Amino acid sequence: MTAWDILEIEPTEELSAIKKAYARKLKVHHPEEDPAGYQRLREAYDWAVKYQRTAVKRASVPVEAGVRAEEYDIGGNDQAEAAVEMDNYAEADVHIPTPPPVDWRDYQDPFRRNEKLIDEFMNRVEELYENFAERIDIEEWTALLDSDVIWNFELKREASERLLAFLEDYPFLPKSIWQLLDSNFQWSQEAFDEDHPFWDYASDRFSEYFQHQVKPYYPGLSYSFLLRAKNIDFDAYLYCRECALQHLIVNEMEQAEEWLHKAEAIFTGDPELLRLKGSVYLHTGRLERASEALGQVMQINPDDIEARMMLAYTLYESKQLPEAIQQCKIILDAKPDHIDTLSIYGKSLFEQNQLAESRNIFKRIEEMEPNASEAVTYLAAIHVRMIKELPANERPPLSELNKELQKPGAGKQLLLFLGRLPKIKMMFLFALMAYSWHVFTDMVYLNPFEFVLVLVFSFFVEEISASFFGFWSCIWLLFFAWIFRKFIREIRKAWRAARY
């Protein structure tokens, strides 16, 4: 039986065809269910890949008829033999024969030794997974990855494929362990590598789940609090919890809540599940139930900063301001620069009309993030209240308030004003005004301002006559006045923009 017979394809030099055949047959000869069949399949695949690469290299050699031995700098009889071989290759049709039958007995002993190492490695993986305390212990996995299998390149590749196949059926590991495995086996890079056949037949669901676990921005759920659970189906619970998280991320609240209820039916003492419940209730406007769920998280895990911040926000939204302020203070004692908590704290103080304290909080936020629009907005609102409600001796100077609102100084105002002047609209208005000035001056031999003075004095001084003032000069004077008025308005807009 040849390698092509095992792969069930015709002899080919196309690597993609070999890989597809291997992936298709791998579903039939699973490493755990049919180890002997998997052995034959793997050896056939490796042989076919080497055959394909050799054929490609031979086909890429540039050979021309009539090449002489002396043109090859390889020396001696080898030189003449190479020349003859190249001549024959050039003259004859290139034909790559079907590979001879593979005698698998030649590979049996070393394969058995290697297979034993792989089996021991996978047995340890199964032991780790079945023991939940060891499954979530990163030190246990680190020790596993220090085995001899990982230090052997060929064995490591096979162990990588078998481990991935195992994890496709049993994927529930902490995010840190997924990242540890990925850093050792480079799965996230091989997912885009055509030389790695596993990803050709891995399910889309598992591929997506894997990508979520190795990406740092995707939220990871804690497993440690499940150690207190007794006699539960951990995988069933973790599956429900993971489905709830995925629906929550894409804002499918109804489906997320359904999976949360299914998870609760298995185990109820997980603060991660309670935090997900609180998030669902918060997004759907059920503030009282959100506060209750997040309060339970605080009882189980008081150090969960994210859940405590969500609780503070929920209390703020439900107008329980003293309680929200208390939760914010607890967080800020541990993390003084937690900007989201500072925002909730400052808004709660503002709602309680503690203007000076709220102003200090938003000033801190503005120092941390100079372009924070929320901080500037609340500072402006605080200043308005201070001016309306506080006596002059109790509120800060106006210059200090303007500085907090990032209003520019006099010099910068002038630069901004000059920068706004050469706008297209203002240039167009200026051109119209100059043209109307020129036409009017040619008609009455006076500019518009001089003409207005003459016209005014003609009402009081008899010697001055306005008889030269005609219909068209009146039209052009009105047009100039209208353009001049719009030009002045644009200048005022530019000045206001520069000031604020």
Side-chain angles (χ1 to χ4, degrees):
M1 178 180 290
T2 68
W4 306 121
D5 295 330
I6 295 172
L7 293 170
E8 295 184 356
I9 57 174
E10 294 296 325
T12 179
E13 297 176 17
E14 294 184 7
L15 182 60
S16 61
I18 297 172
K19 287 169 52 183
K20 289 179 181 178
Y22 173 70
R24 182 172 61 251
K25 295 294 292 181
L26 194 58
K27 296 179 181 179
V28 178
H29 302 291
H30 193 275
E32 296 179 1
E33 298 173 359
D34 183 13
Y38 172 74
Q39 172 224 332
R40 292 191 297 272
L41 176 63
R42 181 69 202 192
E43 292 291 347
Y45 171 73
D46 290 340
W47 190 96
V49 169
K50 291 178 183 177
Y51 165 80
Q52 183 270 342
R53 290 174 179 169
T54 303
V56 170
K57 288 180 181 178
R58 290 176 59 190
S60 64
V61 175
V63 180
E64 297 180 0
V67 176
R68 297 303 175 188
E70 55 269 15
E71 297 179 22
Y72 291 88
D73 187 17
I74 54 179
N77 294 330
D78 292 339
Q79 185 179 24
E81 291 175 4
V84 172
E85 181 181 350
M86 297 298 278
D87 286 340
N88 294 336
Y89 179 80
E91 294 172 0
D93 293 335
V94 176
H95 174 68
I96 301 175
T98 302
V102 179
D103 187 353
W104 299 107
R105 290 175 296 181
D106 295 340
Y107 300 95
Q108 191 171 15
D109 291 340
F111 180 84
R112 284 179 177 176
R113 288 195 298 270
N114 294 343
E115 187 68 13
K116 183 179 178 181
L117 291 173
I118 298 293
D119 287 342
E120 290 174 354
F121 177 83
M122 290 306 303
N123 289 337
R124 181 54 184 154
V125 169
E126 293 178 15
E127 291 173 2
L128 283 178
Y129 197 88
E130 290 173 2
N131 187 323
F132 189 78
E134 292 184 348
R135 184 202 303 189
I136 66 175
D137 188 350
I138 195 169
E139 293 184 1
E140 294 286 349
W141 289 92
T142 302
L144 174 69
L145 295 174
D146 197 33
S147 65
D148 293 339
V149 171
I150 306 303
W151 292 100
N152 184 304
F153 178 77
E154 291 297 330
L155 294 181
K156 181 178 180 180
R157 180 174 180 180
E158 187 171 344
S160 170
E161 291 187 13
R162 289 187 58 176
L163 180 56
L164 267 176
F166 175 83
L167 292 177
E168 184 171 16
D169 296 327
Y170 306 98
F172 299 110
L173 298 172
K175 190 178 181 72
S176 58
I177 293 176
W178 271 109
Q179 292 174 339
L180 172 68
L181 295 174
D182 183 53
S183 67
N184 277 269
F185 293 107
Q186 289 80 45
W187 288 332
S188 57
Q189 298 178 20
E190 292 175 345
F192 304 100
D193 183 2
E194 62 178 13
D195 288 336
H196 197 285
F198 174 82
W199 298 105
D200 290 340
Y201 65 84
S203 67
D204 293 339
R205 184 180 183 85
F206 175 71
S207 298
E208 182 181 4
Y209 176 80
F210 166 77
Q211 293 292 338
H212 289 165
Q213 298 308 311
V214 298
K215 298 300 183 184
Y217 57 79
Y218 192 85
L221 298 176
S222 173
Y223 283 57
S224 59
F225 285 93
L226 295 179
L227 291 172
R228 66 182 67 185
K230 304 295 181 183
N231 300 322
I232 70 167
D233 187 339
F234 287 104
D235 280 20
Y237 173 79
L238 293 170
Y239 176 76
C240 295
R241 193 179 72 167
E242 189 66 32
C243 288
L245 173 63
Q246 292 180 12
H247 285 295
L248 177 61
I249 289 174
V250 297
N251 204 34
E252 296 174 352
M253 297 302 159
E254 185 176 346
Q255 294 89 329
E257 193 167 354
E258 289 178 4
W259 284 107
L260 288 172
H261 290 323
K262 292 178 182 179
E264 273 189 316
I266 302 173
F267 180 60
T268 58
D270 181 12
E272 293 283 6
L273 189 72
L274 291 168
R275 180 157 57 84
L276 292 177
K277 281 181 62 178
S279 183
V280 170
Y281 292 146
L282 181 60
H283 281 82
T284 53
R286 291 172 283 179
L287 300 179
E288 185 176 348
R289 298 189 68 178
S291 298
E292 180 182 352
L294 295 168
Q296 292 176 8
V297 177
M298 293 298 95
Q299 294 176 6
I300 301 173
N301 184 19
D303 297 328
D304 190 336
I305 297 297
E306 183 180 353
R308 192 177 292 278
M309 191 199 69
M310 288 174 58
L311 176 59
Y313 179 76
T314 303
L315 293 170
Y316 166 77
E317 288 292 320
S318 58
K319 303 304 179 184
Q320 302 180 52
L321 301 177
E323 292 82 358
I325 291 173
Q326 180 182 1
Q327 296 298 327
C328 290
K329 287 181 178 178
I330 295 173
I331 299 173
L332 295 173
D333 286 341
K335 293 190 173 183
D337 295 332
H338 197 279
I339 196 162
D340 292 331
T341 303
L342 286 171
S343 175
I344 299 171
Y345 188 31
K347 290 188 285 188
S348 299
L349 292 171
F350 178 77
E351 294 295 332
Q352 286 202 312
N353 213 37
Q354 299 181 36
L355 301 180
E357 294 85 348
S358 179
R359 174 171 169 261
N360 291 334
I361 294 298
F362 283 110
K363 284 172 65 177
R364 280 183 61 189
I365 295 175
E366 190 180 34
E367 291 173 1
M368 294 166 61
E369 291 190 4
N371 297 322
S373 57
E374 183 184 61
V376 175
T377 300
Y378 267 91
L379 283 172
I382 291 169
H383 297 169
V384 170
R385 280 197 186 181
M386 283 182 166
I387 293 171
K388 289 183 177 179
E389 300 176 9
L390 297 180
N393 59 342
E394 294 183 11
R395 62 175 182 256
L398 186 60
S399 59
E400 183 178 344
L401 298 180
N402 288 338
K403 185 177 180 181
E404 292 173 10
L405 292 178
Q406 302 179 349
K407 289 187 176 181
K412 191 171 182 179
Q413 289 180 21
L414 180 60
L415 290 176
L416 291 172
F417 169 66
L418 294 175
R420 280 182 160 268
L421 283 179
K423 293 195 309 182
I424 294 178
K425 185 176 181 181
M426 296 183 67
M427 294 173 67
F428 179 70
L429 290 174
F430 183 79
L432 285 179
M433 188 170 62
Y435 179 73
S436 60
W437 176 291
H438 174 71
V439 172
F440 185 82
T441 303
D442 286 347
M443 293 180 68
V444 299
Y445 304 103
L446 293 172
N447 65 52
F449 297 112
E450 293 173 340
F451 180 79
V452 170
L453 289 175
V454 171
L455 183 62
V456 171
F457 278 105
S458 66
F459 291 106
F460 303 100
V461 180
E462 294 182 359
E463 288 79 3
I464 300 176
S465 173
S467 57
F468 55 86
F469 187 65
F471 173 76
W472 285 109
S473 57
C474 178
I475 295 298
W476 279 103
L477 179 63
L478 292 176
F479 179 73
F480 174 83
W482 179 69
I483 294 297
F484 181 74
R485 176 174 174 273
K486 291 186 70 65
F487 185 76
I488 294 299
R489 288 182 63 185
E490 289 298 319
I491 292 178
R492 292 178 63 188
K493 287 181 182 180
W495 176 243
R496 284 199 299 270
R499 290 178 60 195
Y500 298 102

